[in-house]
């Protein structure tokens, strides 16, 4: 009898996201078991319960999913899960807190594709400003883009202090440099946009980050992308279904939340399927998400 594919889903929050549960089951897992309120110190014990309850050759049929809404904590839990393995007892691990890894991967992949198709250039040395940089998607987007050689600026809606701390954490954890900037007023946001090739909006749903007035003088802008599908749009005038559509009155193009979301969905679904289909245990984080999103983005 074939072994069941079992996924243990860990979150430090009081609830597991129904989105991730549905996604994992639709991707082919036979059983999905949520564990809520999980602390970093509890990860090792849970992982070792999972690995020692099945024979070593069942490692490919067992997985751990790391959720939550804190990127740094999720990565610490991801590392703890990998360190908890006792070869030959090993299982697969996939981290995607609040869907941020796959969403950020999809956003950067779509921007990269637009730059290549529309402007015959890539991410390297592209001047990118991230609005909503204190959130999980903004954080991951900045890291992925910076690792690809982009010159990334984090715009702080409440000043430069909080994004400065995030920039320091990114430098310490990932050894890439991003710059903090004050984006607390319309004039300051306009200046940041004017100095950028790419604008990324990753703020909370339903919050307009940039107005048309703040964009109107952005003569260098090549791509604007927004992950917010809840009205109002994060970038005024950018339709949710825009897919490298021309920006009104500008030379650049826009990418809306649904175009990004389509790649995000396929990326998370695809990584779950890779966990199920792999012949050996795998470990997936935002870098793996970006690699797959690049293959999917058109």
């Amino acid at each position: 009898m074939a072994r069941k594919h079992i996924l243990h889903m860990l979150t430090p929050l009081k609830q597991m996201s129904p989105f991730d549960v549905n996604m994992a089951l639709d991707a082919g897992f036979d059983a999905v078991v949520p564990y809520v309120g999980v602390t970093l110190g509890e990860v090792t014990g849970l992982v070792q319960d999972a690995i020692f309850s099945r024979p070593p050759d069942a490692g490919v049929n067992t997985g751990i999913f790391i959720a939550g809404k804190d990127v740094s904590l999720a990565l610490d839990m991801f590392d703890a899960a990998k360190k908890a393995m006792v070869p030959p007892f090993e299982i697969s691990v996939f981290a995607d807190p609040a869907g941020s890894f796959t969403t950020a991967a999809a956003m950067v992949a779509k921007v990269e594709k637009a730059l290549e198709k529309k402007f015959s250039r890539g991410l390297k040395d592209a001047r990118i400003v991230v609005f909503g940089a204190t959130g999980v998607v903004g954080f991951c987007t900045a890291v992925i883009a910076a690792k690809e050689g982009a010159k990334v600026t984090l715009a702080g809606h409440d000043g430069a202090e909080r994004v400065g701390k995030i920039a320091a954490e990114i430098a310490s954890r990932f050894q890439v440099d991003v710059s903090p900037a004050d984006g607390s007023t319309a004039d300051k946001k306009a200046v940041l946009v004017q100095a950028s090739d790419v604008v990324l909006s990753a703020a909370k749903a339903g919050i307009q980050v940039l107005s048309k007035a703040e964009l109107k003088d952005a003569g260098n802008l090549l791509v604007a992308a927004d992950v917010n599908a809840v009205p109002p749009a994060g970038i005024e005038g950018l339709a949710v279904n825009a897919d490298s559509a021309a920006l009104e009155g500008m030379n650049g193009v826009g990418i809306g939340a649904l175009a990004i979301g389509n790649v995000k969905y396929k990326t998370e679904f695809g990584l779950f399927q890779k966990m199920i289909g792999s012949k050996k245990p795998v470990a997936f984080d935002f870098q793996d998400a970006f690699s797959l999103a690049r293959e999917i983005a058109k």
Side-chain angles (χ1 to χ4, degrees):
M1 183 175 68
R3 287 196 179 93
K4 300 289 187 183
H5 290 285
I6 302 173
L7 183 66
H8 302 281
M9 307 185 85
L10 315 185
T11 179
L13 305 178
K14 66 178 183 179
Q15 294 174 334
M16 179 60 66
S17 166
F19 186 103
D20 295 323
V21 172
N22 290 350
M23 186 78 73
L25 286 167
D26 286 345
F29 279 99
D30 298 301
V32 172
V33 187
Y35 302 78
V36 300
V38 177
T39 66
L40 177 59
E42 293 172 322
V43 171
T44 296
L46 289 169
V47 170
Q48 292 183 346
D49 272 359
I51 65 176
F52 290 135
S53 59
R54 308 183 90 180
D57 63 351
V60 294
N61 306 112
T62 314
I64 295 287
F65 180 78
I66 308 293
K69 288 190 175 181
D70 184 319
V71 173
S72 296
L73 177 57
L75 288 170
D76 288 342
M77 293 175 79
F78 180 73
D79 289 340
K82 292 190 293 181
K83 290 175 182 176
M85 307 300 172
V86 184
F89 293 91
E90 298 177 276
I91 58 179
S92 294
V93 185
F94 173 22
D96 194 18
S100 60
F101 288 3
T102 48
T103 301
M107 182 181 238
V108 180
K110 287 294 290 182
V111 167
E112 180 182 53
K113 191 63 65 175
L115 287 171
E116 291 173 351
K117 283 189 169 185
K118 301 291 184 178
F119 305 102
S120 301
R121 60 165 301 171
L123 291 167
K124 184 172 174 54
D125 295 325
R127 297 169 300 169
I128 297 178
V129 59
V130 181
F131 291 90
T134 57
V136 287
V137 174
F139 183 108
C140 295
T141 300
V143 174
I144 293 171
K147 278 183 165 287
E148 292 303 311
K151 298 176 181 177
V152 179
T153 297
L154 310 181
H157 73 276
D158 53 359
E161 184 177 351
R162 279 208 301 159
V163 287
K165 292 178 181 177
I166 291 171
E169 182 179 353
I170 288 173
S172 174
R173 184 182 283 271
F174 301 104
Q175 289 75 55
V176 292
D177 292 325
V178 300
S179 301
D182 186 348
S184 59
T185 68
D187 288 344
K188 289 176 179 178
K189 286 190 285 185
V191 169
L192 290 173
V193 171
Q194 289 167 24
S196 300
D197 302 307
V198 177
V199 168
L200 305 180
S201 174
K204 291 180 180 178
I207 295 178
Q208 181 178 292
V209 173
L210 292 170
S211 67
K212 289 182 179 180
E214 291 156 358
L215 287 169
K216 68 180 178 64
D217 294 323
N220 296 318
L221 187 63
L222 302 179
V223 182
D226 179 19
V227 295
N228 177 21
V230 178
I235 299 176
E236 187 180 12
L238 180 53
V240 293
N241 61 349
D243 194 354
S244 293
L247 292 168
E248 184 180 350
M250 304 178 70
N251 295 323
V253 298
I255 304 170
L258 296 186
I260 295 168
N262 181 49
V263 176
K264 178 266 187 297
Y265 178 92
K266 291 177 179 177
T267 300
E268 183 173 349
F269 191 87
L271 290 175
F272 277 136
Q273 287 195 317
K274 284 178 176 288
M275 290 177 79
I276 294 169
S278 178
K279 297 187 181 300
K280 62 181 182 180
V282 293
F284 297 142
D285 64 6
F286 66 89
Q287 290 285 69
D288 304 285
F290 183 55
S291 294
L292 181 56
R294 267 178 154 169
E295 296 176 14
I296 295 169
K298 296 180 180 179

